[in-house]
Amino acid sequence: MYETLYRNILLPMFDGTIKGRQTMKHWQRAEATQWHSRSELELQQLVDLRRLVAHAAAHSLYYKNLLLEHAIDPATISSFDDFRRVPLLHRETIARNRLQLSTSLPMKRISKSTGGSSGEPLHFEISAESNDRRVAMTYRGYGWAHAGPGTRQLYIWGTPPSRLAAWKRWKMSLHHAFDHHLVLSCFEFTPEMMHRQLRRMNAWRPQVIVAYTNAAYEFARFIESEGLQVWQPKSIVVGAEKLHDFQRIVLERVFKAPVFETYGSREFMLIGAECEQHSGLHLSMENLFVEILDDEGQPTPAGEEGNVVITDLFNDAMPFIRYVNGDRAIAGFENCPCGRGLPLLRKVTGRQLDVLTTPDGRKIPGEFFPHLIKDYRSIRRFQVIQNDPHEIIVRMVTSGGLTLADLHHLENDLREGIGPIVTLKLEQVDDIPLTRAGKLKVVVNNLQTSQTSGRLPEHSDLAAGSDDQPAAQGALVCQH
Protein backbone atom coordinates (compact mmCIF):
# COMPACT_ATOMS: atom_id res chain seq x y z
CA MET A 1 0.00 0.00 0.00
CA TYR A 2 2.65 2.52 1.04
CA GLU A 3 4.84 1.56 -1.93
CA THR A 4 2.06 2.47 -4.38
CA LEU A 5 1.29 5.71 -2.55
CA TYR A 6 4.99 6.63 -2.38
CA ARG A 7 5.75 5.95 -6.05
CA ASN A 8 2.63 7.50 -7.56
CA ILE A 9 1.94 10.45 -5.28
CA LEU A 10 4.44 11.21 -2.50
CA LEU A 11 7.72 10.89 -4.42
CA PRO A 12 6.58 12.76 -7.57
CA MET A 13 5.10 15.51 -5.41
CA PHE A 14 8.17 15.89 -3.18
CA ASP A 15 10.83 15.38 -5.85
CA GLY A 16 9.22 17.16 -8.76
CA THR A 17 6.78 19.73 -7.39
CA ILE A 18 8.52 20.74 -4.15
CA LYS A 19 12.18 20.21 -5.05
CA GLY A 20 11.92 20.86 -8.79
CA ARG A 21 14.01 17.81 -9.67
CA GLN A 22 13.87 15.81 -12.89
CA THR A 23 14.52 12.43 -11.29
CA MET A 24 11.15 10.91 -12.14
CA LYS A 25 11.47 11.90 -15.81
CA HIS A 26 14.96 10.38 -16.06
CA TRP A 27 13.81 7.23 -14.24
CA GLN A 28 10.87 6.75 -16.57
CA ARG A 29 13.14 7.18 -19.60
CA ALA A 30 15.72 4.75 -18.17
CA GLU A 31 13.08 2.06 -17.70
CA ALA A 32 12.47 2.30 -21.45
CA THR A 33 16.04 2.70 -22.74
CA GLN A 34 17.31 -0.39 -20.89
CA TRP A 35 15.50 -2.43 -23.57
CA HIS A 36 17.08 -0.55 -26.47
CA SER A 37 19.63 -2.42 -28.54
CA ARG A 38 23.31 -2.22 -27.66
CA SER A 39 24.04 -0.38 -30.92
CA GLU A 40 21.35 2.24 -30.21
CA LEU A 41 22.73 2.85 -26.74
CA GLU A 42 26.30 3.13 -28.01
CA LEU A 43 25.27 5.62 -30.69
CA GLN A 44 23.63 7.84 -28.09
CA GLN A 45 26.67 7.43 -25.84
CA LEU A 46 28.93 8.78 -28.57
CA VAL A 47 26.65 11.77 -29.10
CA ASP A 48 26.73 12.51 -25.37
CA LEU A 49 30.53 12.09 -25.22
CA ARG A 50 31.02 14.58 -28.03
CA ARG A 51 28.72 17.07 -26.29
CA LEU A 52 30.55 16.60 -22.99
CA VAL A 53 34.01 17.21 -24.44
CA ALA A 54 32.76 20.30 -26.28
CA HIS A 55 31.22 21.61 -23.06
CA ALA A 56 34.42 20.96 -21.10
CA ALA A 57 36.55 22.67 -23.77
CA ALA A 58 34.34 25.75 -23.68
CA HIS A 59 33.79 26.14 -19.95
CA SER A 60 36.58 24.35 -18.02
CA LEU A 61 39.99 26.03 -18.00
CA TYR A 62 41.70 22.72 -17.30
CA TYR A 63 40.12 20.96 -20.28
CA LYS A 64 40.47 23.95 -22.56
CA ASN A 65 44.25 23.87 -22.04
CA LEU A 66 44.45 20.07 -22.10
CA LEU A 67 42.59 19.67 -25.38
CA LEU A 68 44.58 22.48 -27.02
CA GLU A 69 47.82 20.85 -25.87
CA HIS A 70 46.82 17.53 -27.45
CA ALA A 71 45.25 19.11 -30.56
CA ILE A 72 41.83 17.56 -29.89
CA ASP A 73 38.84 19.21 -31.56
CA PRO A 74 35.58 18.00 -29.97
CA ALA A 75 33.79 18.36 -33.28
CA THR A 76 36.03 15.70 -34.83
CA ILE A 77 35.13 13.00 -32.28
CA SER A 78 33.23 10.50 -34.41
CA SER A 79 34.21 7.23 -32.72
CA PHE A 80 35.16 5.86 -29.33
CA ASP A 81 38.76 5.63 -30.55
CA ASP A 82 38.69 9.38 -31.25
CA PHE A 83 37.40 9.96 -27.74
CA ARG A 84 40.21 7.85 -26.25
CA ARG A 85 42.71 10.49 -27.40
CA VAL A 86 41.63 12.54 -24.37
CA PRO A 87 44.23 11.91 -21.63
CA LEU A 88 43.28 9.99 -18.51
CA LEU A 89 42.23 11.87 -15.39
CA HIS A 90 43.74 10.81 -12.05
CA ARG A 91 42.71 11.56 -8.50
CA GLU A 92 45.91 13.52 -7.85
CA THR A 93 45.18 15.71 -10.89
CA ILE A 94 41.74 16.56 -9.55
CA ALA A 95 43.19 17.46 -6.16
CA ARG A 96 45.72 19.80 -7.78
CA ASN A 97 43.36 21.37 -10.33
CA ARG A 98 39.99 21.41 -8.62
CA LEU A 99 39.18 25.05 -9.40
CA GLN A 100 40.37 24.79 -13.01
CA LEU A 101 38.33 21.63 -13.57
CA SER A 102 35.11 23.31 -12.44
CA THR A 103 33.19 24.96 -15.25
CA SER A 104 32.44 28.68 -15.37
CA LEU A 105 28.73 28.40 -16.15
CA PRO A 106 26.29 29.34 -13.39
CA MET A 107 24.31 26.28 -12.31
CA LYS A 108 23.12 24.54 -9.21
CA ARG A 109 26.06 22.58 -7.81
CA ILE A 110 26.31 19.92 -5.12
CA SER A 111 29.54 19.45 -3.18
CA LYS A 112 30.60 15.85 -2.59
CA SER A 113 33.46 14.01 -0.92
CA THR A 114 34.56 10.43 -1.42
CA GLY A 115 35.10 8.17 1.56
CA GLY A 116 38.77 7.91 0.68
CA SER A 117 38.87 4.10 0.59
CA SER A 118 41.90 4.54 -1.66
CA GLY A 119 43.55 6.49 1.16
CA GLU A 120 43.04 9.99 -0.21
CA PRO A 121 39.59 11.60 0.23
CA LEU A 122 38.48 13.49 -2.87
CA HIS A 123 36.38 16.68 -2.89
CA PHE A 124 34.43 17.56 -6.02
CA GLU A 125 31.20 19.01 -7.43
CA ILE A 126 28.34 17.62 -9.47
CA SER A 127 25.55 19.42 -11.25
CA ALA A 128 21.97 19.09 -10.02
CA GLU A 129 20.98 17.50 -13.34
CA SER A 130 23.73 14.89 -13.02
CA ASN A 131 22.54 14.10 -9.52
CA ASP A 132 18.96 13.60 -10.73
CA ARG A 133 20.15 11.22 -13.43
CA ARG A 134 22.25 9.27 -10.93
CA VAL A 135 19.34 8.81 -8.56
CA ALA A 136 17.22 7.62 -11.49
CA MET A 137 19.84 4.99 -12.34
CA THR A 138 19.77 3.83 -8.72
CA TYR A 139 15.98 3.54 -8.77
CA ARG A 140 16.19 1.39 -11.89
CA GLY A 141 19.10 -0.78 -10.75
CA TYR A 142 17.67 -1.39 -7.30
CA GLY A 143 14.32 -2.12 -8.91
CA TRP A 144 15.83 -5.21 -10.55
CA ALA A 145 16.38 -6.49 -7.02
CA HIS A 146 12.81 -5.67 -5.90
CA ALA A 147 14.21 -2.67 -3.99
CA GLY A 148 12.57 0.17 -5.86
CA PRO A 149 11.40 3.39 -4.20
CA GLY A 150 8.83 2.93 -1.45
CA THR A 151 9.64 -0.70 -0.62
CA ARG A 152 10.19 -1.56 3.02
CA GLN A 153 13.97 -1.67 3.31
CA LEU A 154 16.49 -2.37 6.05
CA TYR A 155 19.90 -0.75 5.63
CA ILE A 156 22.96 -2.26 7.33
CA TRP A 157 24.97 0.82 6.65
CA GLY A 158 27.27 3.55 7.87
CA THR A 159 25.86 6.16 10.21
CA PRO A 160 27.15 9.64 11.09
CA PRO A 161 28.99 10.28 14.39
CA SER A 162 26.87 11.06 17.43
CA ARG A 163 28.16 14.65 17.58
CA LEU A 164 26.11 15.47 14.48
CA ALA A 165 23.72 18.32 15.24
CA ALA A 166 20.38 17.19 16.64
CA TRP A 167 18.41 18.92 13.87
CA LYS A 168 20.43 17.10 11.22
CA ARG A 169 19.75 13.78 12.91
CA TRP A 170 16.05 14.62 13.08
CA LYS A 171 16.04 15.53 9.38
CA MET A 172 17.78 12.27 8.46
CA SER A 173 15.34 10.23 10.57
CA LEU A 174 12.41 11.97 8.91
CA HIS A 175 13.88 11.28 5.48
CA HIS A 176 14.42 7.59 6.28
CA ALA A 177 10.85 7.27 7.55
CA PHE A 178 9.51 8.95 4.40
CA ASP A 179 11.53 6.55 2.22
CA HIS A 180 10.33 3.57 4.31
CA HIS A 181 13.89 2.73 5.41
CA LEU A 182 15.23 1.50 8.74
CA VAL A 183 18.98 2.11 9.07
CA LEU A 184 21.10 -0.02 11.39
CA SER A 185 24.68 0.99 12.04
CA CYS A 186 27.25 -1.62 11.03
CA PHE A 187 30.01 0.32 12.76
CA GLU A 188 29.30 -1.22 16.17
CA PHE A 189 28.92 -4.93 15.44
CA THR A 190 29.65 -6.45 18.82
CA PRO A 191 27.79 -9.69 19.62
CA GLU A 192 25.46 -7.75 21.94
CA MET A 193 24.78 -5.14 19.26
CA MET A 194 24.13 -7.78 16.60
CA HIS A 195 21.55 -9.42 18.90
CA ARG A 196 19.87 -6.02 19.28
CA GLN A 197 20.00 -5.27 15.55
CA LEU A 198 18.54 -8.69 14.74
CA ARG A 199 15.60 -8.02 17.05
CA ARG A 200 14.99 -4.68 15.30
CA MET A 201 15.24 -6.31 11.91
CA ASN A 202 12.81 -9.08 12.77
CA ALA A 203 10.34 -6.51 14.13
CA TRP A 204 10.70 -4.33 11.00
CA ARG A 205 10.18 -7.28 8.62
CA PRO A 206 11.79 -5.65 5.59
CA GLN A 207 11.06 -6.62 2.01
CA VAL A 208 14.69 -5.98 1.13
CA ILE A 209 18.01 -5.77 2.99
CA VAL A 210 20.54 -3.26 1.61
CA ALA A 211 24.00 -3.62 3.13
CA TYR A 212 27.74 -3.27 2.96
CA THR A 213 29.02 -6.60 1.71
CA ASN A 214 31.33 -7.46 4.60
CA ALA A 215 28.90 -6.19 7.24
CA ALA A 216 26.07 -8.33 5.85
CA TYR A 217 28.40 -11.33 5.66
CA GLU A 218 29.57 -10.95 9.27
CA PHE A 219 25.96 -10.49 10.40
CA ALA A 220 24.89 -13.65 8.57
CA ARG A 221 27.77 -15.67 10.03
CA PHE A 222 26.82 -14.50 13.51
CA ILE A 223 23.16 -15.40 13.04
CA GLU A 224 24.09 -18.85 11.76
CA SER A 225 26.71 -19.57 14.43
CA GLU A 226 24.26 -18.60 17.19
CA GLY A 227 21.41 -20.59 15.66
CA LEU A 228 19.12 -17.55 15.68
CA GLN A 229 15.83 -17.08 13.85
CA VAL A 230 15.83 -14.36 11.19
CA TRP A 231 13.17 -12.71 9.04
CA GLN A 232 13.34 -13.75 5.38
CA PRO A 233 13.28 -10.79 2.95
CA LYS A 234 12.55 -10.99 -0.78
CA SER A 235 16.12 -10.04 -1.67
CA ILE A 236 19.44 -8.70 -0.43
CA VAL A 237 21.32 -5.87 -2.16
CA VAL A 238 25.01 -5.55 -1.34
CA GLY A 239 27.67 -3.08 -2.37
CA ALA A 240 30.65 -0.92 -1.36
CA GLU A 241 32.90 -3.97 -1.30
CA LYS A 242 33.42 -6.84 -3.71
CA LEU A 243 30.98 -9.73 -3.23
CA HIS A 244 32.71 -13.12 -3.33
CA ASP A 245 31.01 -16.39 -4.15
CA PHE A 246 31.50 -17.78 -0.65
CA GLN A 247 29.80 -14.69 0.79
CA ARG A 248 26.84 -15.00 -1.58
CA ILE A 249 26.40 -18.65 -0.56
CA VAL A 250 26.35 -17.81 3.16
CA LEU A 251 24.00 -14.83 2.74
CA GLU A 252 21.51 -16.78 0.65
CA ARG A 253 21.67 -19.76 3.02
CA VAL A 254 21.03 -17.68 6.14
CA PHE A 255 18.43 -15.23 4.80
CA LYS A 256 16.92 -17.61 2.22
CA ALA A 257 16.77 -14.81 -0.35
CA PRO A 258 18.64 -14.04 -3.58
CA VAL A 259 21.62 -11.68 -3.36
CA PHE A 260 22.05 -8.85 -5.88
CA GLU A 261 25.49 -7.28 -6.20
CA THR A 262 25.90 -3.58 -7.02
CA TYR A 263 28.95 -1.55 -7.93
CA GLY A 264 29.08 2.15 -7.22
CA SER A 265 31.09 5.03 -5.87
CA ARG A 266 30.60 8.49 -4.47
CA GLU A 267 31.95 10.00 -7.69
CA PHE A 268 29.25 8.36 -9.86
CA MET A 269 26.72 6.59 -7.61
CA LEU A 270 25.45 3.39 -9.25
CA ILE A 271 27.91 2.18 -11.91
CA GLY A 272 26.51 -1.32 -12.35
CA ALA A 273 23.99 -3.73 -10.85
CA GLU A 274 22.83 -7.31 -11.20
CA CYS A 275 19.47 -8.13 -12.73
CA GLU A 276 17.42 -11.24 -12.01
CA GLN A 277 19.74 -13.34 -14.20
CA HIS A 278 22.79 -12.69 -11.94
CA SER A 279 25.04 -12.86 -15.01
CA GLY A 280 27.12 -9.78 -14.25
CA LEU A 281 26.71 -6.08 -13.58
CA HIS A 282 24.57 -4.12 -16.03
CA LEU A 283 26.29 -0.77 -16.56
CA SER A 284 24.45 2.54 -16.13
CA MET A 285 25.26 3.14 -19.76
CA GLU A 286 22.96 6.10 -20.34
CA ASN A 287 24.92 8.08 -17.71
CA LEU A 288 28.41 6.64 -17.86
CA PHE A 289 31.03 5.50 -20.34
CA VAL A 290 33.10 2.72 -18.76
CA GLU A 291 36.46 1.47 -20.05
CA ILE A 292 38.81 -1.28 -18.82
CA LEU A 293 42.40 -0.34 -19.63
CA ASP A 294 45.82 -1.89 -19.05
CA ASP A 295 48.60 -0.11 -17.19
CA GLU A 296 49.69 1.57 -20.45
CA GLY A 297 46.22 3.05 -20.93
CA GLN A 298 45.21 0.71 -23.77
CA PRO A 299 41.97 -1.33 -23.88
CA THR A 300 42.44 -4.59 -21.99
CA PRO A 301 41.75 -7.80 -23.95
CA ALA A 302 38.50 -9.54 -23.03
CA GLY A 303 38.90 -11.86 -20.07
CA GLU A 304 41.93 -10.05 -18.65
CA GLU A 305 42.04 -7.76 -15.64
CA GLY A 306 42.52 -4.04 -16.07
CA ASN A 307 41.90 -0.61 -14.57
CA VAL A 308 38.40 0.83 -14.42
CA VAL A 309 38.11 4.20 -16.19
CA ILE A 310 34.81 6.12 -16.10
CA THR A 311 33.39 9.19 -17.81
CA ASP A 312 30.31 10.90 -16.41
CA LEU A 313 28.31 12.05 -19.44
CA PHE A 314 26.33 14.76 -17.66
CA ASN A 315 28.35 16.29 -14.81
CA ASP A 316 28.62 19.72 -16.43
CA ALA A 317 29.68 21.32 -13.14
CA MET A 318 33.02 19.51 -12.93
CA PRO A 319 33.61 17.09 -15.81
CA PHE A 320 35.15 13.73 -14.96
CA ILE A 321 36.44 12.58 -18.34
CA ARG A 322 38.28 9.23 -18.45
CA TYR A 323 38.70 9.16 -14.68
CA VAL A 324 40.86 6.34 -13.29
CA ASN A 325 38.91 5.44 -10.17
CA GLY A 326 41.41 2.98 -8.64
CA ASP A 327 39.33 -0.16 -9.16
CA ARG A 328 40.17 -3.26 -11.17
CA ALA A 329 37.80 -5.36 -13.26
CA ILE A 330 37.75 -8.11 -15.86
CA ALA A 331 37.48 -6.72 -19.39
CA GLY A 332 34.84 -7.80 -21.90
CA PHE A 333 31.35 -6.31 -21.97
CA GLU A 334 28.97 -9.18 -22.62
CA ASN A 335 25.23 -9.35 -23.28
CA CYS A 336 22.76 -10.67 -20.72
CA PRO A 337 20.13 -13.39 -21.29
CA CYS A 338 17.55 -10.98 -19.85
CA GLY A 339 17.43 -9.10 -23.16
CA ARG A 340 18.46 -5.69 -21.88
CA GLY A 341 20.80 -3.81 -24.21
CA LEU A 342 22.87 -2.59 -21.28
CA PRO A 343 26.27 -4.36 -21.44
CA LEU A 344 27.51 -6.47 -18.53
CA LEU A 345 30.66 -5.75 -16.63
CA ARG A 346 31.95 -9.28 -16.09
CA LYS A 347 33.48 -8.89 -12.66
CA VAL A 348 34.93 -6.23 -10.39
CA THR A 349 38.05 -7.64 -8.72
CA GLY A 350 39.25 -4.75 -6.51
CA ARG A 351 39.14 -3.25 -3.86
CA GLN A 352 38.74 -5.01 -0.53
CA LEU A 353 38.99 -3.35 2.87
CA ASP A 354 40.08 -5.45 5.84
CA VAL A 355 37.79 -6.02 8.81
CA LEU A 356 39.35 -5.16 12.18
CA THR A 357 38.58 -7.12 15.32
CA THR A 358 38.74 -6.09 18.98
CA PRO A 359 38.91 -8.04 22.27
CA ASP A 360 35.31 -7.12 23.14
CA GLY A 361 34.06 -8.93 20.05
CA ARG A 362 33.62 -6.02 17.65
CA LYS A 363 34.07 -6.58 13.91
CA ILE A 364 34.80 -3.16 12.44
CA PRO A 365 34.28 -3.00 8.66
CA GLY A 366 37.15 -1.26 6.93
CA GLU A 367 34.64 1.14 5.36
CA PHE A 368 34.10 2.73 8.78
CA PHE A 369 37.34 4.68 8.52
CA PRO A 370 37.05 6.31 5.08
CA HIS A 371 33.35 6.94 5.75
CA LEU A 372 34.32 9.00 8.77
CA ILE A 373 37.64 10.55 7.74
CA LYS A 374 36.24 11.98 4.47
CA ASP A 375 34.77 14.84 6.54
CA TYR A 376 38.23 15.96 7.77
CA ARG A 377 39.48 17.93 4.78
CA SER A 378 42.90 18.57 6.32
CA ILE A 379 43.68 14.84 6.12
CA ARG A 380 45.09 14.26 2.63
CA ARG A 381 46.03 10.60 3.04
CA PHE A 382 45.58 8.04 5.78
CA GLN A 383 46.16 4.42 6.69
CA VAL A 384 44.72 2.33 9.52
CA ILE A 385 46.86 -0.51 10.89
CA GLN A 386 46.15 -3.23 13.46
CA ASN A 387 49.17 -5.25 14.55
CA ASP A 388 47.80 -6.13 17.97
CA PRO A 389 44.24 -6.94 19.13
CA HIS A 390 44.47 -4.15 21.71
CA GLU A 391 45.80 -1.39 19.47
CA ILE A 392 44.74 0.46 16.32
CA ILE A 393 47.06 2.96 14.64
CA VAL A 394 45.81 5.71 12.33
CA ARG A 395 48.55 7.34 10.26
CA MET A 396 47.74 10.64 8.60
CA VAL A 397 49.37 12.93 6.07
CA THR A 398 47.80 16.34 6.67
CA SER A 399 47.78 19.68 4.89
CA GLY A 400 48.77 21.49 8.06
CA GLY A 401 45.29 22.69 8.93
CA LEU A 402 44.45 19.90 11.35
CA THR A 403 43.89 21.55 14.74
CA LEU A 404 43.93 20.09 18.24
CA ALA A 405 40.16 20.44 18.25
CA ASP A 406 39.99 18.43 15.00
CA LEU A 407 42.16 15.71 16.54
CA HIS A 408 39.91 15.62 19.60
CA HIS A 409 36.78 15.27 17.42
CA LEU A 410 38.46 12.64 15.26
CA GLU A 411 39.46 10.58 18.28
CA ASN A 412 35.93 10.74 19.68
CA ASP A 413 34.40 9.78 16.33
CA LEU A 414 36.78 6.84 15.90
CA ARG A 415 36.18 5.73 19.47
CA GLU A 416 32.46 5.30 18.75
CA GLY A 417 33.33 2.58 16.27
CA ILE A 418 36.31 0.85 17.85
CA GLY A 419 35.03 0.93 21.43
CA PRO A 420 36.70 1.84 24.75
CA ILE A 421 39.04 -1.14 25.17
CA VAL A 422 41.43 -0.71 22.26
CA THR A 423 44.30 1.76 22.43
CA LEU A 424 43.98 4.32 19.64
CA LYS A 425 47.10 6.00 18.27
CA LEU A 426 46.82 8.97 15.91
CA GLU A 427 50.10 9.58 14.11
CA GLN A 428 50.82 12.50 11.78
CA VAL A 429 53.46 11.43 9.27
CA ASP A 430 55.17 12.99 6.25
CA ASP A 431 54.30 10.15 3.89
CA ILE A 432 52.62 6.75 3.69
CA PRO A 433 54.36 4.27 1.37
CA LEU A 434 52.43 2.66 -1.46
CA THR A 435 52.35 -1.05 -2.27
CA ARG A 436 54.51 -2.52 -5.02
CA ALA A 437 51.50 -2.13 -7.32
CA GLY A 438 51.51 1.60 -6.66
CA LYS A 439 48.37 1.48 -4.49
CA LEU A 440 47.71 2.50 -0.92
CA LYS A 441 46.14 -0.09 1.32
CA VAL A 442 43.92 1.95 3.59
CA VAL A 443 42.99 -0.60 6.27
CA VAL A 444 45.59 -3.20 7.20
CA ASN A 445 44.73 -6.07 9.56
CA ASN A 446 47.98 -7.91 10.28
CA LEU A 447 46.35 -10.27 12.79
CA GLN A 448 46.18 -13.94 11.83
CA THR A 449 42.95 -14.97 13.55
CA SER A 450 40.00 -17.19 12.86
CA GLN A 451 38.06 -14.05 11.99
CA THR A 452 39.75 -13.99 8.61
CA SER A 453 38.39 -17.42 7.70
CA GLY A 454 36.47 -17.34 4.45
CA ARG A 455 38.54 -14.44 3.15
CA LEU A 456 40.96 -14.62 0.30
CA PRO A 457 44.41 -16.02 1.06
CA GLU A 458 46.91 -13.37 2.05
CA HIS A 459 49.11 -13.91 -0.99
CA SER A 460 46.34 -12.85 -3.38
CA ASP A 461 46.30 -9.29 -4.74
CA LEU A 462 42.90 -8.61 -3.24
CA ALA A 463 43.89 -9.71 0.25
CA ALA A 464 47.19 -7.87 -0.01
CA GLY A 465 45.32 -4.70 -0.82
CA SER A 466 46.90 -3.83 -4.12
CA ASP A 467 43.40 -2.93 -5.25
CA ASP A 468 40.91 -1.29 -2.91
CA GLN A 469 37.11 -1.58 -3.14
CA PRO A 470 35.26 1.73 -3.26
CA ALA A 471 32.88 3.09 -0.96
CA ALA A 472 29.38 3.42 -2.77
CA GLN A 473 26.89 4.39 -2.75
CA GLY A 474 27.42 4.84 -2.38
CA ALA A 475 28.69 3.31 -2.35
CA LEU A 476 26.49 0.56 -0.30
CA VAL A 477 28.79 1.28 -0.52
CA CYS A 478 29.22 0.13 5.69
CA GLN A 479 26.71 4.33 -0.74
CA HIS A 480 25.14 5.60 1.39
Side-chain angles (χ1 to χ4, degrees):
M1 178 65 180
Y2 184 80
E3 181 179 347
T4 302
L5 176 67
Y6 182 89
R7 288 194 184 194
N8 297 325
I9 299 176
L10 297 180
L11 185 57
M13 181 177 66
F14 177 79
D15 220 48
T17 306
I18 298 176
K19 291 294 187 178
R21 296 168 181 159
Q22 300 296 311
T23 308
M24 303 302 292
K25 178 188 73 174
H26 294 309
W27 180 24
Q28 185 178 28
R29 183 182 297 126
E31 291 291 348
T33 56
Q34 66 179 317
W35 301 108
H36 289 184
S37 69
R38 176 88 165 265
S39 58
E40 287 180 281
L41 291 167
E42 288 179 344
L43 182 61
Q44 185 59 51
Q45 237 185 1
L46 189 57
V47 171
D48 293 334
L49 284 170
R50 187 185 303 117
R51 182 211 67 85
L52 173 68
V53 177
H55 169 81
H59 303 292
S60 166
L61 180 59
Y62 172 83
Y63 278 111
K64 177 182 179 180
N65 294 333
L66 182 72
L67 296 174
L68 282 173
E69 179 184 350
H70 291 270
I72 299 173
D73 180 358
T76 65
I77 296 177
S78 59
S79 68
F80 293 123
D81 285 339
D82 291 339
F83 172 71
R84 290 189 182 97
R85 293 177 55 212
V86 179
L88 299 175
L89 178 67
H90 295 272
R91 179 178 287 252
E92 299 80 13
T93 303
I94 298 172
R96 291 196 308 268
N97 300 277
R98 187 172 182 272
L99 295 179
Q100 290 77 20
L101 275 161
S102 294
T103 57
S104 56
L105 285 178
M107 67 180 71
K108 185 176 180 182
R109 299 164 184 264
I110 302 171
S111 295
K112 294 280 187 177
S113 298
T114 68
S117 56
S118 64
E120 298 184 40
L122 181 69
H123 309 291
F124 59 97
E125 297 174 336
I126 63 173
S127 64
E129 181 191 4
S130 176
N131 189 68
D132 292 348
R133 290 176 179 271
R134 294 165 182 221
V135 174
M137 289 295 109
T138 302
Y139 286 168
R140 182 181 71 180
Y142 275 41
W144 299 334
H146 316 291
T151 54
R152 192 180 185 87
Q153 299 179 20
L154 176 89
Y155 273 72
I156 304 175
W157 216 251
T159 56
S162 59
R163 63 181 176 84
L164 191 70
W167 71 269
K168 288 187 177 180
R169 287 188 167 275
W170 176 82
K171 182 180 178 181
M172 290 175 64
S173 298
L174 189 64
H175 185 70
H176 291 320
F178 178 72
D179 288 340
H180 221 197
H181 296 169
L182 174 65
V183 182
L184 305 181
S185 173
C186 65
F187 291 160
E188 303 174 11
F189 261 17
T190 63
E192 179 184 0
M193 179 60 72
M194 284 191 278
H195 272 292
R196 188 183 310 168
Q197 303 291 43
L198 179 61
R199 288 194 295 270
R200 294 183 67 191
M201 173 185 165
N202 287 340
W204 178 247
R205 302 175 71 178
Q207 294 171 262
V208 180
I209 296 173
V210 182
Y212 289 175
T213 302
N214 274 325
Y217 174 64
E218 293 292 349
F219 194 34
R221 291 179 66 198
F222 172 79
I223 292 169
E224 190 169 54
S225 66
E226 296 289 313
L228 303 174
Q229 295 296 313
V230 60
W231 167 257
Q232 297 175 16
K234 289 184 178 179
S235 60
I236 302 169
V237 179
V238 297
E241 299 161 310
K242 172 60 191 167
L243 173 69
H244 297 291
D245 290 340
F246 68 85
Q247 293 172 317
R248 187 191 294 269
I249 291 170
V250 171
L251 288 169
E252 293 186 344
R253 183 173 68 231
V254 172
F255 293 105
K256 296 179 173 57
V259 173
F260 291 78
E261 183 180 10
T262 65
Y263 171 46
S265 70
R266 292 279 291 181
E267 295 98 320
F268 306 107
M269 287 183 65
L270 188 69
I271 299 168
E274 280 188 331
C275 73
E276 64 279 0
Q277 294 292 328
H278 304 281
S279 298
L281 299 163
H282 281 291
L283 294 173
S284 299
M285 188 178 180
E286 299 95 331
N287 274 22
L288 306 172
F289 179 64
V290 179
E291 305 171 74
I292 309 298
L293 306 179
D294 62 24
D295 291 339
E296 283 69 48
Q298 299 301 311
T300 304
E304 295 184 15
E305 185 178 299
N307 302 300
V308 178
V309 176
I310 303 179
T311 298
D312 186 319
L313 301 175
F314 297 102
N315 184 9
D316 289 350
M318 189 176 178
F320 275 31
I321 301 178
R322 308 197 74 205
Y323 171 64
V324 184
N325 75 346
D327 293 339
R328 302 276 290 180
I330 303 299
F333 300 113
E334 301 176 336
N335 296 320
C336 182
C338 72
R340 294 177 176 86
L342 304 171
L344 293 174
L345 183 62
R346 289 187 180 186
K347 183 180 181 181
V348 179
T349 57
R351 60 181 65 114
Q352 184 79 31
L353 300 183
D354 282 0
V355 174
L356 303 189
T357 59
T358 61
D360 59 354
R362 293 173 186 254
K363 295 179 178 64
I364 308 165
E367 191 56 38
F368 168 73
F369 299 95
H371 177 86
L372 188 153
I373 291 176
K374 74 179 189 298
D375 296 326
Y376 291 83
R377 295 204 169 199
S378 297
I379 301 176
R380 294 192 296 107
R381 180 181 292 183
F382 68 92
Q383 185 179 58
V384 180
I385 300 174
Q386 186 177 34
N387 298 316
D388 183 280
H390 296 85
E391 180 180 86
I392 293 175
I393 302 169
V394 181
R395 294 174 179 166
M396 304 169 291
V397 178
T398 68
S399 61
L402 196 67
T403 66
L404 289 176
D406 291 333
L407 287 171
H408 178 70
H409 286 312
L410 177 60
E411 183 173 0
N412 287 340
D413 290 346
L414 290 169
R415 186 61 69 183
E416 288 189 24
I418 69 174
I421 295 178
V422 177
T423 298
L424 175 63
K425 289 187 177 180
L426 302 180
E427 298 180 353
Q428 295 190 56
V429 297
D430 294 331
D431 191 26
I432 297 174
L434 304 180
T435 67
R436 287 176 294 179
K439 305 287 184 179
L440 172 63
K441 187 172 186 188
V442 179
V443 182
V444 183
N445 184 352
N446 288 323
L447 301 177
Q448 299 295 320
T449 71
S450 60
Q451 300 297 338
T452 61
S453 63
R455 296 177 64 84
L456 295 178
E458 288 301 317
H459 65 267
S460 77
D461 287 341
L462 205 54
S466 61
D467 307 299
D468 312 302
Q469 172 67 23
Q473 156 163 319
L476 275 153
V477 280
C478 287
Q479 275 194 54
H480 190 81

